[in-house]
Amino acid sequence: KVAFVYDKSVVRLDPAQPVPFRYRQSQYNMTVGVFDPASGRTAAVPDTIQHVDERTLAWSSDGRRLAFLANLVGKPMNDAALVSCEVSQPLPAALNCLTVANEVPGEAFGWHVAPTLLWNGGTILFHAQPKANLALRPKFHRNDWYAFTPGQPMKVMTKDIKQPPARVVPVSHTSLRAQASVVAVADGRLIRFYEDGRAVPVQL
């Protein structure tokens, strides 16, 4: 399957008028579609999902789920939503998507953050700026790593680290009940971060 981001709005330009602001800021109308080359079918996400951040599109390792950060219709622009969609076979006309809104302590849309999203087994890990820090910009920048598993509350993985890492490497699960974890360099040490917030230094 191929996931793609596209502008769902149609703007008809008038040669006698300036280019409208909405057209110049077309990323605010971006949504996601999935294309199946074998059948030629295309599936779309629900109309309640908008303002998709194309930098965060991430497939699960088995190719059955697609996740990204977006905004829900009717919500403030800085209220991010974590979206996870099932990509079943055959491809349906509309994807079945789970959204986690108002619990995501991050901002997916803005010029001060560069969110990252990746999978670790069935857990989604993403890197975003806590909402509580927005009022402190531009003097303070902090992006934390968050973990979300369907059916469980959101977890902050890097809450006890002075300077959270910008890049991490997921650690493969060794059992079905193992916690999602990542390894990264933070505070001058090599640390393994677990989804419950534990930070364990790695001895070399």
Side-chain angles (χ1 to χ4, degrees), residues 77-196:
M77 186 67 67
N78 288 335
D79 282 358
L82 176 62
V83 182
S84 175
C85 301
E86 295 181 11
V87 183
S88 57
Q89 183 69 28
L91 193 64
L95 295 178
N96 179 23
C97 297
L98 169 70
T99 60
V100 184
N102 302 324
E103 300 177 25
V104 183
E107 178 195 28
F109 324 102
W111 298 272
H112 301 281
V113 293
T116 302
L117 188 151
L118 48 88
W119 288 83
N120 189 353
T123 300
I124 302 172
L125 311 177
F126 64 99
H127 185 233
Q129 188 170 62
K131 284 183 181 179
N133 297 338
L134 298 182
L136 303 177
R137 294 189 318 214
K139 296 181 180 180
F140 182 78
H141 296 273
R142 179 188 175 94
N143 286 17
D144 275 296
W145 283 93
Y146 301 89
F148 174 72
T149 302
Q152 299 182 19
M154 192 76 63
K155 300 180 179 70
V156 185
M157 301 182 71
T158 52
K159 59 184 178 180
D160 296 324
I161 298 297
K162 182 178 180 181
Q163 184 60 46
R167 300 178 63 184
V168 300
V169 177
V171 179
S172 299
H173 286 298
T174 56
S175 71
L176 293 177
R177 287 181 285 183
Q179 284 197 38
S181 63
V182 297
V183 171
V185 174
D187 292 350
R189 297 174 295 168
L190 183 63
I191 299 177
R192 184 170 180 174
F193 296 95
Y194 290 85
E195 64 177 284
D196 63 3

Side-chain angles (χ1 to χ4, degrees), residues 21-22 25-30 50-52 77 109 111:
F21 175 80
R22 182 181 178 186
Q25 300 293 332
S26 62
Q27 69 268 27
Y28 296 143
N29 300 310
M30 302 304 278
Q50 62 180 1
H51 310 329
V52 173
M77 186 67 67
F109 324 102
W111 298 272

